[in-house]
Amino acid sequence: MSEYTKILVAIDLSEDSSRVVERGHAIASKNNADLHLIHVIEPLSFAYGGDIPMDFSGIQDEIHQQATQQLERFAASNGIDAQHQHIILGRPEVEIHATAEELGSDLIVVGSHGRHGLALLMGSTANGVLHGASCDVLAVRVGKKE
Ligand code: AMP
C-alpha cells in the first residue's frame, strides 16, 4: 500500500520553489501519488487596510494576474497540469490547511529557512503550516547553506 496518495506542495514562487517541488515529486513518484501545487496571495488590505485609506483592487488584480502566470509557468516546467494548480487569496497557513483538507491531502510539503534569533521568534510559514495541520508536513530546508 502507498504511504501517501495526495501531496500538496506550497510554493511562494521564489527561487526556492524548485527545491520544494523536487522533494514533493520524489515522494510522489515513489508512492505513485497525486501532486498538487498551491500559491497563496496575501491581500494588500491585510497589510495596509487599516492604515492607508485607498482602494487596492487594481493593484491586487495585477498581483493576482502576475502570480497566476508565474504559477502556470512554474507548473508547466514541472509537468503539473492546470487541475493540480491552486491559487488562492488569503493567509498562507490558513489557505494551505483548508486546501489540504478539501483535497484530502495526506502530505503537505513546504520550504523552511532554518531561522535564528528574532526571525525564529517571529515564526515562519512552515511553522504555521505545521501547527494545526491534520496530515503530515514535510519541511524542506531551503535558502543559503551556512
Ligand atoms: P517563509 O516561512 O514565509 O519564508 O516560507 C517558507 C515556505 O512556506 C515556502 O518555501 C513555501 O513552501 C511556503 N510559503 C510561503 N509563502 C507562501 C505562499 N504565499 N503561498 C504558498 N506557500 C507559501
Side-chain angles (χ1 to χ4, degrees):
M1 198 185 100
S2 302
E3 196 179 348
Y4 296 116
T5 57
K6 208 168 265 187
I7 299 171
L8 180 63
V9 178
I11 56 163
D12 55 9
L13 294 173
S14 71
E15 58 187 17
D16 296 329
S17 304
S18 298
R19 176 146 176 69
V20 181
V21 84
E22 244 169 52
R23 299 288 291 137
H25 261 315
I27 298 167
S29 59
K30 268 192 203 134
N31 290 267
N32 203 17
D34 242 7
L35 188 136
H36 289 252
L37 264 188
I38 180 171
H39 175 68
V40 183
I41 302 170
E42 291 193 68
L44 290 171
S45 57
F46 282 6
Y48 304 110
D51 306 324
I52 306 174
M54 70 179 266
D55 179 12
F56 291 113
S57 51
I59 313 172
Q60 192 71 61
D61 287 349
E62 180 67 25
I63 292 172
H64 204 286
Q65 256 179 37
Q66 297 278 340
T68 304
Q69 284 170 8
Q70 277 189 59
L71 181 67
E72 283 171 1
R73 276 199 298 271
F74 181 83
S77 65
N78 285 281
I80 297 162
D81 66 28
Q83 281 79 41
H84 291 76
Q85 299 168 28
H86 309 272
I87 191 139
I88 298 182
L89 199 65
R91 292 215 183 275
E93 35 284 71
V94 172
E95 300 308 328
I96 292 166
H97 285 155
T99 304
E101 298 239 341
E102 230 168 79
L103 293 170
S105 301
D106 38 24
L107 177 68
I108 301 171
V109 182
V110 289
S112 169
H113 286 99
R115 292 172 167 81
H116 301 282
L118 190 60
L120 181 66
L121 288 175
M122 286 164 68
S124 67
T125 307
N127 220 9
V129 171
L130 180 61
H131 294 284
S134 53
C135 64
D136 289 1
V137 177
L138 172 67
V140 179
R141 185 80 157 83
V142 292
K144 286 193 191 113
K145 295 225 178 346
E146 288 157 37

